[in-house]
Amino acid sequence: MNSWGIKGERHKQIPEIVTDGEYNIRAYAKPKLKTENCSVKASSDGSLEFNFSCSSKEEVYKWLNSDKPETDLGRTLTAEERQWIKQRIQEAKLEKINVEPQPLFINLNLSKQYRSVAHTLLKCLGLYDPDLVRGDMTRKVREFIRYEQGNWEEFAVTVNQLIPSVKDRLSQKLGVNYNSVEIYWCCSLEKIIGVLTLLGRIQRAVILAENCKVPNAILAVVEDTYLTRQIPKSFFLELEQQIADIPLIEILFSPPKIEFFRKEISHIASVSLPFEGLNAFLAESIYKIGEQTQELTLKSLQEYEKLFLDFVSNLEKLFGISVEPKVVSSQLAVNGFSDLVQYHIGKNFKEHPEVQDTLLTACTKTWEELTNQLQMKIEREIPE
């Protein structure tokens, strides 16, 4: 769902968050030194002096494969010198340091943000009722989206969904692994209000039409995230006439107060970003092992298990929330690893695709159980 960029632009890779401190935040919420220090120079006796201080060995290899070593030396590295530097990198010991929270100044362009949100809402609404999207009832919000006519404060609201919403139901099953659009035709308010939820975290509500006599109804469009590649699911519900006056949603603030945005940003920075960074890294690592493995081996199962153990270990470091390693191993065993060890070791995935399906199902189910369980603990114990 195109919720942030009206032109539908997409990053080719995960963007880096530029802070005002010594570190930027790269993919998977990992800190990266703004200045990676690598240098090589020739000594008086003709040998090389090589020094480096970087966030990872990967950064040092990037430096080695660029033209910077030649620039430092004033000549091309010989094959022996390049091999010597690679050996130094391989032998280098990583030094672990605690990176303090990094200062970051954010300028919220709320007009652009709400135009983008309204655009996404209208696109989803247009799949169900194109005449409404093209008609006079939504003309005002369309002009805001396209020409920035009007002020964002005329359209932006914070709301309370009075009946069980898609977000409430899915959050129990998917944690934060979904995006959703909910359109409310509100008889009592004489308005049509759209609610966009991103990753179960960020919520924006927009008045799409007002002063309209409409029966109570709800349109919901939901998409899973984390590379599921499934098409969005949707449903439409219109209330019967005898319960048409029941309020579906109430407006709390119009427009939202600044405290609403402050709390949201604070929660994303202190809880959502580190938690989801670890989540995304686990998902990507599971995917990579699957790509590199042709048959089921004890070693590959141990690699999967280690990913989960590292995941809960890192969560404990960040939030103080602990999970016993034996609990993680037990969950993997119950969800399929026990059967895989007993019946399927040595089987080729191409010849036995059901084995790979069982493996991925075991990983996915364990992952969902852990993330939902840990997410609830974190939400309870981390103050806003």
Side-chain angles (χ1 to χ4, degrees):
M1 293 182 186
N2 175 20
S3 53
W4 294 104
I6 290 176
K7 294 181 180 179
E9 297 173 351
R10 292 290 186 271
H11 292 286
K12 299 300 181 184
Q13 57 187 11
I14 300 173
E16 196 170 283
I17 300 174
V18 179
T19 76
D20 299 317
E22 294 182 57
Y23 295 83
N24 288 336
I25 309 300
R26 59 179 175 174
Y28 313 116
K30 293 185 177 182
K32 175 188 175 185
L33 277 168
K34 286 188 174 181
T35 305
E36 307 281 2
N37 295 315
C38 295
S39 64
V40 61
K41 64 180 181 179
S43 301
S44 56
D45 61 0
S47 62
L48 293 184
E49 291 183 14
F50 173 50
N51 297 289
F52 59 94
S53 175
C54 295
S55 301
S56 66
K57 290 185 178 182
E58 178 186 357
E59 296 299 325
V60 189
Y61 282 117
K62 284 182 181 178
W63 169 86
L64 180 60
N65 294 325
S66 69
D67 59 0
K68 293 179 181 178
E70 283 73 16
T71 301
D72 288 348
L73 277 178
R75 61 174 177 80
T76 302
L77 287 168
T78 65
E80 291 78 11
E81 290 171 335
R82 184 171 291 274
Q83 185 58 40
W84 176 77
I85 291 176
K86 286 183 178 179
Q87 187 68 29
R88 286 282 310 278
I89 298 171
Q90 291 170 4
E91 294 172 353
K93 294 183 179 180
L94 296 175
E95 180 184 358
K96 295 184 178 180
I97 61 173
N98 290 322
V99 177
E100 296 296 323
Q102 299 296 293
L104 174 64
F105 176 80
I106 298 176
N107 181 20
L108 290 178
N109 187 331
L110 293 175
S111 179
K112 184 176 181 179
Q113 194 175 113
Y114 275 96
R115 287 170 65 209
S116 181
V117 168
H119 182 244
T120 299
L121 293 170
L122 282 191
K123 283 198 302 184
C124 291
L125 179 56
L127 295 174
Y128 171 77
D129 191 345
D131 290 337
L132 175 58
V133 172
R134 290 193 295 259
D136 288 339
M137 200 178 294
T138 57
R139 182 185 301 278
K140 187 176 178 181
V141 74
R142 293 202 313 272
E143 290 177 346
F144 170 65
I145 293 168
R146 189 169 185 181
Y147 305 112
E148 205 169 359
Q149 289 185 10
N151 193 300
W152 70 270
E153 295 176 323
E154 300 175 48
F155 305 93
V157 289
T158 52
V159 297
N160 178 30
Q161 290 151 285
L162 299 175
I163 64 172
S165 70
V166 171
K167 180 175 76 69
D168 295 330
R169 294 185 181 187
L170 287 182
S171 61
Q172 298 173 12
K173 179 182 178 183
L174 297 174
V176 297
N177 307 332
Y178 73 96
N179 302 320
S180 70
V181 159
E182 296 165 275
I183 309 292
Y184 291 86
W185 285 258
C186 306
C187 177
S188 59
L189 298 176
E190 297 186 353
K191 299 180 190 296
I192 300 175
I193 297 174
V195 180
L196 171 70
T197 303
L198 290 175
L199 296 175
R201 295 289 190 193
I202 300 168
Q203 187 182 89
R204 295 289 182 268
V206 173
I207 297 173
L208 301 176
E210 50 189 344
N211 302 321
C212 48
K213 304 287 186 180
V214 291
N216 273 343
I218 305 171
L219 171 69
V221 181
V222 187
E223 66 174 3
D224 297 342
T225 59
Y226 282 136
L227 302 175
T228 58
R229 297 182 176 88
Q230 296 180 6
I231 63 173
K233 306 173 183 66
S234 64
F235 70 84
F236 177 78
L237 173 67
E238 184 171 346
L239 274 66
E240 295 181 359
Q241 186 62 38
Q242 57 266 37
I243 55 174
D245 292 334
I246 294 178
L248 305 179
I249 195 169
E250 66 176 335
I251 296 175
L252 300 179
F253 297 103
S254 178
K257 294 186 176 182
I258 195 66
E259 183 67 8
F260 170 80
F261 300 107
R262 187 201 68 77
K263 282 187 176 181
E264 181 183 73
I265 292 172
S266 175
H267 192 273
I268 289 172
S270 61
V271 178
S272 302
L273 180 62
F275 181 76
E276 291 311 316
L278 292 176
N279 239 332
F281 183 72
L282 174 62
E284 185 67 20
S285 299
I286 290 172
Y287 180 76
K288 283 183 178 179
I289 292 178
E291 277 194 325
Q292 297 166 0
T293 308
Q294 301 300 319
E295 67 177 39
L296 186 69
T297 64
L298 282 174
K299 181 181 178 182
S300 63
L301 286 177
Q302 289 167 355
E303 288 177 350
Y304 283 112
E305 184 174 11
K306 185 177 184 300
L307 287 178
F308 281 95
L309 294 174
D310 289 345
F311 173 70
V312 296
S313 174
N314 287 327
L315 280 176
E316 183 175 7
K317 293 174 187 175
L318 282 170
F319 301 110
I321 305 293
S322 61
V323 177
E324 290 292 330
K326 62 182 180 182
V327 172
V328 178
S329 299
S330 176
Q331 283 180 276
L332 285 167
V334 169
N335 289 333
F337 271 39
S338 179
D339 286 346
L340 289 169
V341 171
Q342 190 170 358
Y343 302 113
H344 302 298
I345 293 296
K347 289 185 178 179
N348 184 281
F349 289 140
K350 286 186 177 180
E351 297 174 3
H352 302 276
E354 72 282 0
V355 175
Q356 189 170 38
D357 289 342
T358 301
L359 173 62
L360 293 177
T361 299
C363 289
T364 302
K365 191 173 180 181
T366 304
W367 173 40
E368 288 177 351
E369 291 171 353
L370 283 172
T371 52
N372 290 338
Q373 171 192 351
L374 292 167
Q375 179 64 40
M376 287 187 286
K377 285 185 178 181
I378 291 170
E379 295 289 355
R380 284 197 302 266
E381 299 189 19
I382 304 296
E384 290 187 349

